[in-house]
mmCIF file of all heavy atoms in Angstrom:
data_model
loop_
_atom_site.group_PDB
_atom_site.id
_atom_site.type_symbol
_atom_site.label_atom_id
_atom_site.label_comp_id
_atom_site.label_asym_id
_atom_site.label_seq_id
_atom_site.Cartn_x
_atom_site.Cartn_y
_atom_site.Cartn_z
ATOM 1 N N LEU F 239 120.960 83.926 40.788
ATOM 2 C CA LEU F 239 121.771 83.333 39.721
ATOM 3 C C LEU F 239 122.840 82.355 40.232
ATOM 4 O O LEU F 239 122.966 81.259 39.680
ATOM 5 C CB LEU F 239 122.388 84.416 38.845
ATOM 6 C CG LEU F 239 123.180 83.916 37.645
ATOM 7 C CD1 LEU F 239 122.315 83.056 36.717
ATOM 8 C CD2 LEU F 239 123.775 85.084 36.880
ATOM 9 N N PRO F 240 123.606 82.673 41.261
ATOM 10 C CA PRO F 240 124.596 81.692 41.731
ATOM 11 C C PRO F 240 123.972 80.370 42.191
ATOM 12 O O PRO F 240 124.549 79.302 41.980
ATOM 13 C CB PRO F 240 125.288 82.399 42.897
ATOM 14 C CG PRO F 240 125.072 83.856 42.643
ATOM 15 C CD PRO F 240 123.735 83.950 41.966
ATOM 16 N N LEU F 241 122.801 80.437 42.773
ATOM 17 C CA LEU F 241 122.115 79.205 43.194
ATOM 18 C C LEU F 241 121.724 78.367 41.985
ATOM 19 O O LEU F 241 121.878 77.148 41.977
ATOM 20 C CB LEU F 241 120.874 79.539 44.024
ATOM 21 C CG LEU F 241 121.112 80.274 45.340
ATOM 22 C CD1 LEU F 241 119.781 80.646 45.979
ATOM 23 C CD2 LEU F 241 121.949 79.434 46.283
ATOM 24 N N VAL F 242 121.223 79.021 40.951
ATOM 25 C CA VAL F 242 120.823 78.317 39.731
ATOM 26 C C VAL F 242 122.048 77.745 39.019
ATOM 27 O O VAL F 242 122.006 76.637 38.498
ATOM 28 C CB VAL F 242 120.020 79.246 38.796
ATOM 29 C CG1 VAL F 242 119.704 78.564 37.482
ATOM 30 C CG2 VAL F 242 118.737 79.695 39.470
ATOM 31 N N ASN F 243 123.139 78.503 39.020
ATOM 32 C CA ASN F 243 124.363 78.014 38.380
ATOM 33 C C ASN F 243 124.867 76.721 39.019
ATOM 34 O O ASN F 243 125.553 75.939 38.364
ATOM 35 C CB ASN F 243 125.459 79.085 38.418
ATOM 36 C CG ASN F 243 125.255 80.155 37.374
ATOM 37 O OD1 ASN F 243 124.600 79.934 36.359
ATOM 38 N ND2 ASN F 243 125.814 81.324 37.626
ATOM 39 N N ALA F 244 124.514 76.494 40.266
ATOM 40 C CA ALA F 244 124.943 75.279 40.969
ATOM 41 C C ALA F 244 124.030 74.084 40.688
ATOM 42 O O ALA F 244 124.297 72.988 41.183
ATOM 43 C CB ALA F 244 125.008 75.557 42.469
ATOM 44 N N GLU F 245 122.985 74.278 39.914
ATOM 45 C CA GLU F 245 122.038 73.200 39.592
ATOM 46 C C GLU F 245 122.409 72.560 38.252
ATOM 47 O O GLU F 245 122.171 73.154 37.198
ATOM 48 C CB GLU F 245 120.612 73.741 39.507
ATOM 49 C CG GLU F 245 120.084 74.304 40.797
ATOM 50 C CD GLU F 245 118.686 74.876 40.662
ATOM 51 O OE1 GLU F 245 118.168 75.006 39.528
ATOM 52 O OE2 GLU F 245 118.104 75.199 41.701
ATOM 53 N N PRO F 246 122.956 71.354 38.261
ATOM 54 C CA PRO F 246 123.368 70.740 36.998
ATOM 55 C C PRO F 246 122.206 70.430 36.059
ATOM 56 O O PRO F 246 122.391 70.395 34.840
ATOM 57 C CB PRO F 246 124.085 69.464 37.434
ATOM 58 C CG PRO F 246 123.616 69.196 38.815
ATOM 59 C CD PRO F 246 123.258 70.515 39.411
ATOM 60 N N GLY F 247 120.997 70.250 36.572
ATOM 61 C CA GLY F 247 119.860 69.909 35.734
ATOM 62 C C GLY F 247 119.152 71.088 35.103
ATOM 63 O O GLY F 247 118.277 70.910 34.259
ATOM 64 N N THR F 248 119.518 72.316 35.507
ATOM 65 C CA THR F 248 118.909 73.510 34.928
ATOM 66 C C THR F 248 119.756 73.938 33.733
ATOM 67 O O THR F 248 120.897 74.360 33.892
ATOM 68 C CB THR F 248 118.811 74.644 35.960
ATOM 69 O OG1 THR F 248 118.047 74.179 37.087
ATOM 70 C CG2 THR F 248 118.136 75.874 35.364
ATOM 71 N N VAL F 249 119.197 73.817 32.536
ATOM 72 C CA VAL F 249 119.936 74.110 31.312
ATOM 73 C C VAL F 249 120.009 75.613 31.072
ATOM 74 O O VAL F 249 121.082 76.172 30.851
ATOM 75 C CB VAL F 249 119.298 73.387 30.102
ATOM 76 C CG1 VAL F 249 120.001 73.754 28.810
ATOM 77 C CG2 VAL F 249 119.311 71.881 30.328
ATOM 78 N N THR F 250 118.861 76.284 31.080
ATOM 79 C CA THR F 250 118.817 77.735 30.939
ATOM 80 C C THR F 250 117.902 78.301 32.003
ATOM 81 O O THR F 250 116.956 77.639 32.455
ATOM 82 C CB THR F 250 118.319 78.181 29.544
ATOM 83 O OG1 THR F 250 116.982 77.722 29.358
ATOM 84 C CG2 THR F 250 119.209 77.657 28.435
ATOM 85 N N TRP F 251 118.163 79.534 32.403
ATOM 86 C CA TRP F 251 117.370 80.199 33.430
ATOM 87 C C TRP F 251 117.332 81.683 33.100
ATOM 88 O O TRP F 251 118.365 82.304 32.869
ATOM 89 C CB TRP F 251 118.005 79.983 34.807
ATOM 90 C CG TRP F 251 117.216 80.508 35.959
ATOM 91 C CD1 TRP F 251 116.166 79.900 36.578
ATOM 92 C CD2 TRP F 251 117.419 81.734 36.671
ATOM 93 N NE1 TRP F 251 115.711 80.666 37.624
ATOM 94 C CE2 TRP F 251 116.470 81.803 37.696
ATOM 95 C CE3 TRP F 251 118.320 82.786 36.516
ATOM 96 C CZ2 TRP F 251 116.376 82.869 38.568
ATOM 97 C CZ3 TRP F 251 118.243 83.864 37.396
ATOM 98 C CH2 TRP F 251 117.276 83.895 38.415
ATOM 99 N N PHE F 252 116.138 82.230 33.052
ATOM 100 C CA PHE F 252 115.950 83.642 32.746
ATOM 101 C C PHE F 252 115.069 84.267 33.816
ATOM 102 O O PHE F 252 113.995 83.747 34.117
ATOM 103 C CB PHE F 252 115.274 83.835 31.384
ATOM 104 C CG PHE F 252 116.044 83.247 30.244
ATOM 105 C CD1 PHE F 252 115.822 81.934 29.856
ATOM 106 C CD2 PHE F 252 116.992 83.995 29.569
ATOM 107 C CE1 PHE F 252 116.528 81.377 28.802
ATOM 108 C CE2 PHE F 252 117.702 83.446 28.519
ATOM 109 C CZ PHE F 252 117.477 82.133 28.129
ATOM 110 N N ALA F 253 115.514 85.376 34.371
ATOM 111 C CA ALA F 253 114.683 86.200 35.243
ATOM 112 C C ALA F 253 114.394 87.458 34.434
ATOM 113 O O ALA F 253 115.323 88.141 33.986
ATOM 114 C CB ALA F 253 115.415 86.530 36.532
ATOM 115 N N ILE F 254 113.116 87.752 34.218
ATOM 116 C CA ILE F 254 112.748 88.852 33.327
ATOM 117 C C ILE F 254 111.798 89.822 34.022
ATOM 118 O O ILE F 254 111.103 89.468 34.971
ATOM 119 C CB ILE F 254 112.112 88.329 32.019
ATOM 120 C CG1 ILE F 254 110.847 87.512 32.315
ATOM 121 C CG2 ILE F 254 113.109 87.481 31.242
ATOM 122 C CD1 ILE F 254 110.106 87.053 31.066
ATOM 123 N N GLN F 255 111.797 91.052 33.515
ATOM 124 C CA GLN F 255 110.835 92.056 33.970
ATOM 125 C C GLN F 255 109.930 92.361 32.791
ATOM 126 O O GLN F 255 110.385 92.824 31.744
ATOM 127 C CB GLN F 255 111.531 93.313 34.473
ATOM 128 C CG GLN F 255 110.551 94.288 35.093
ATOM 129 C CD GLN F 255 111.228 95.361 35.927
ATOM 130 O OE1 GLN F 255 112.454 95.439 36.007
ATOM 131 N NE2 GLN F 255 110.412 96.193 36.548
ATOM 132 N N GLU F 256 108.637 92.095 32.967
ATOM 133 C CA GLU F 256 107.664 92.263 31.894
ATOM 134 C C GLU F 256 106.977 93.626 31.929
ATOM 135 O O GLU F 256 106.377 94.038 30.947
ATOM 136 C CB GLU F 256 106.613 91.159 31.977
ATOM 137 C CG GLU F 256 107.209 89.768 31.813
ATOM 138 C CD GLU F 256 106.186 88.656 31.954
ATOM 139 O OE1 GLU F 256 105.404 88.668 32.924
ATOM 140 O OE2 GLU F 256 106.179 87.785 31.076
ATOM 141 N N GLY F 257 107.034 94.286 33.055
ATOM 142 C CA GLY F 257 106.400 95.591 33.232
ATOM 143 C C GLY F 257 106.892 96.192 34.534
ATOM 144 O O GLY F 257 107.740 95.606 35.203
ATOM 145 N N PRO F 258 106.363 97.351 34.934
ATOM 146 C CA PRO F 258 106.863 98.023 36.141
ATOM 147 C C PRO F 258 106.862 97.139 37.390
ATOM 148 O O PRO F 258 107.797 97.188 38.181
ATOM 149 C CB PRO F 258 105.919 99.210 36.306
ATOM 150 C CG PRO F 258 105.387 99.466 34.933
ATOM 151 C CD PRO F 258 105.308 98.117 34.267
ATOM 152 N N SER F 259 105.831 96.326 37.562
ATOM 153 C CA SER F 259 105.765 95.465 38.747
ATOM 154 C C SER F 259 105.605 93.983 38.384
ATOM 155 O O SER F 259 105.398 93.156 39.252
ATOM 156 C CB SER F 259 104.612 95.898 39.658
ATOM 157 O OG SER F 259 103.373 95.769 38.980
ATOM 158 N N SER F 260 105.720 93.674 37.110
ATOM 159 C CA SER F 260 105.540 92.295 36.632
ATOM 160 C C SER F 260 106.881 91.685 36.251
ATOM 161 O O SER F 260 107.624 92.237 35.436
ATOM 162 C CB SER F 260 104.621 92.267 35.412
ATOM 163 O OG SER F 260 103.358 92.785 35.743
ATOM 164 N N PHE F 261 107.158 90.539 36.843
ATOM 165 C CA PHE F 261 108.396 89.809 36.617
ATOM 166 C C PHE F 261 108.042 88.372 36.275
ATOM 167 O O PHE F 261 106.891 87.960 36.409
ATOM 168 C CB PHE F 261 109.267 89.831 37.883
ATOM 169 C CG PHE F 261 109.656 91.208 38.324
ATOM 170 C CD1 PHE F 261 108.798 91.976 39.105
ATOM 171 C CD2 PHE F 261 110.883 91.740 37.979
ATOM 172 C CE1 PHE F 261 109.152 93.249 39.514
ATOM 173 C CE2 PHE F 261 111.250 93.011 38.383
ATOM 174 C CZ PHE F 261 110.384 93.769 39.154
ATOM 175 N N ALA F 262 109.024 87.607 35.862
ATOM 176 C CA ALA F 262 108.793 86.182 35.622
ATOM 177 C C ALA F 262 110.130 85.454 35.630
ATOM 178 O O ALA F 262 111.193 86.056 35.450
ATOM 179 C CB ALA F 262 108.082 85.948 34.293
ATOM 180 N N ILE F 263 110.030 84.163 35.840
ATOM 181 C CA ILE F 263 111.167 83.253 35.713
ATOM 182 C C ILE F 263 110.803 82.255 34.628
ATOM 183 O O ILE F 263 109.688 81.717 34.610
ATOM 184 C CB ILE F 263 111.446 82.512 37.033
ATOM 185 C CG1 ILE F 263 111.820 83.500 38.139
ATOM 186 C CG2 ILE F 263 112.556 81.477 36.843
ATOM 187 C CD1 ILE F 263 111.843 82.886 39.530
ATOM 188 N N PHE F 264 111.747 82.024 33.716
ATOM 189 C CA PHE F 264 111.587 81.002 32.690
ATOM 190 C C PHE F 264 112.857 80.173 32.697
ATOM 191 O O PHE F 264 113.959 80.718 32.593
ATOM 192 C CB PHE F 264 111.368 81.625 31.304
ATOM 193 C CG PHE F 264 111.265 80.589 30.216
ATOM 194 C CD1 PHE F 264 110.096 79.859 30.054
ATOM 195 C CD2 PHE F 264 112.332 80.326 29.379
ATOM 196 C CE1 PHE F 264 109.998 78.889 29.066
ATOM 197 C CE2 PHE F 264 112.246 79.368 28.386
ATOM 198 C CZ PHE F 264 111.073 78.642 28.232
ATOM 199 N N ASP F 265 112.715 78.870 32.864
ATOM 200 C CA ASP F 265 113.878 78.001 32.878
ATOM 201 C C ASP F 265 113.582 76.704 32.157
ATOM 202 O O ASP F 265 112.427 76.303 32.028
ATOM 203 C CB ASP F 265 114.411 77.738 34.284
ATOM 204 C CG ASP F 265 113.370 77.692 35.372
ATOM 205 O OD1 ASP F 265 112.181 77.546 35.080
ATOM 206 O OD2 ASP F 265 113.749 77.794 36.536
ATOM 207 N N THR F 266 114.658 76.084 31.645
ATOM 208 C CA THR F 266 114.494 74.868 30.851
ATOM 209 C C THR F 266 115.337 73.735 31.420
ATOM 210 O O THR F 266 116.361 73.968 32.075
ATOM 211 C CB THR F 266 114.887 75.110 29.376
ATOM 212 O OG1 THR F 266 116.292 75.343 29.288
ATOM 213 C CG2 THR F 266 114.119 76.267 28.776
ATOM 214 N N PHE F 267 114.893 72.512 31.089
ATOM 215 C CA PHE F 267 115.515 71.300 31.623
ATOM 216 C C PHE F 267 115.470 70.218 30.551
ATOM 217 O O PHE F 267 114.542 70.175 29.749
ATOM 218 C CB PHE F 267 114.748 70.823 32.863
ATOM 219 C CG PHE F 267 114.452 71.944 33.834
ATOM 220 C CD1 PHE F 267 113.289 72.683 33.709
ATOM 221 C CD2 PHE F 267 115.343 72.268 34.824
ATOM 222 C CE1 PHE F 267 113.010 73.739 34.566
ATOM 223 C CE2 PHE F 267 115.083 73.325 35.694
ATOM 224 C CZ PHE F 267 113.919 74.060 35.567
ATOM 225 N N ASN F 268 116.449 69.334 30.581
ATOM 226 C CA ASN F 268 116.471 68.239 29.613
ATOM 227 C C ASN F 268 115.450 67.165 29.926
ATOM 228 O O ASN F 268 115.039 66.419 29.041
ATOM 229 C CB ASN F 268 117.865 67.613 29.530
ATOM 230 C CG ASN F 268 118.850 68.525 28.831
ATOM 231 O OD1 ASN F 268 118.463 69.375 28.036
ATOM 232 N ND2 ASN F 268 120.116 68.361 29.137
ATOM 233 N N ASP F 269 115.046 67.081 31.194
ATOM 234 C CA ASP F 269 114.118 66.021 31.587
ATOM 235 C C ASP F 269 113.350 66.425 32.845
ATOM 236 O O ASP F 269 113.637 67.451 33.465
ATOM 237 C CB ASP F 269 114.866 64.698 31.799
ATOM 238 C CG ASP F 269 116.032 64.821 32.776
ATOM 239 O OD1 ASP F 269 115.966 65.638 33.715
ATOM 240 O OD2 ASP F 269 117.022 64.086 32.590
ATOM 241 N N GLU F 270 112.395 65.593 33.192
ATOM 242 C CA GLU F 270 111.548 65.854 34.360
ATOM 243 C C GLU F 270 112.349 65.832 35.659
ATOM 244 O O GLU F 270 112.060 66.580 36.594
ATOM 245 C CB GLU F 270 110.399 64.845 34.412
ATOM 246 C CG GLU F 270 109.371 65.135 35.470
ATOM 247 C CD GLU F 270 108.676 66.486 35.295
ATOM 248 O OE1 GLU F 270 108.440 66.908 34.153
ATOM 249 O OE2 GLU F 270 108.375 67.133 36.323
ATOM 250 N N ALA F 271 113.376 64.998 35.727
ATOM 251 C CA ALA F 271 114.200 64.919 36.940
ATOM 252 C C ALA F 271 114.881 66.261 37.210
ATOM 253 O O ALA F 271 114.935 66.718 38.364
ATOM 254 C CB ALA F 271 115.227 63.799 36.808
ATOM 255 N N GLY F 272 115.398 66.908 36.173
ATOM 256 C CA GLY F 272 116.020 68.221 36.342
ATOM 257 C C GLY F 272 115.029 69.270 36.786
ATOM 258 O O GLY F 272 115.328 70.105 37.644
ATOM 259 N N ARG F 273 113.836 69.218 36.206
ATOM 260 C CA ARG F 273 112.804 70.184 36.583
ATOM 261 C C ARG F 273 112.384 69.985 38.038
ATOM 262 O O ARG F 273 112.265 70.945 38.795
ATOM 263 C CB ARG F 273 111.603 70.066 35.636
ATOM 264 C CG ARG F 273 110.480 71.028 35.983
ATOM 265 C CD ARG F 273 109.501 71.244 34.856
ATOM 266 N NE ARG F 273 108.723 70.069 34.514
ATOM 267 C CZ ARG F 273 107.818 70.039 33.541
ATOM 268 N NH1 ARG F 273 107.577 71.125 32.815
ATOM 269 N NH2 ARG F 273 107.151 68.936 33.269
#
Side-chain angles (χ1 to χ4, degrees):
L239 184 59
L241 297 175
V242 175
N243 282 336
E245 297 178 351
T248 302
V249 176
T250 62
W251 185 82
F252 301 90
I254 60 176
Q255 187 165 4
E256 299 178 312
S259 62
S260 300
F261 300 84
I263 298 169
F264 177 77
D265 33 17
T266 68
F267 313 89
N268 288 335
D269 54 32
E270 188 61 35
R273 179 162 66 181

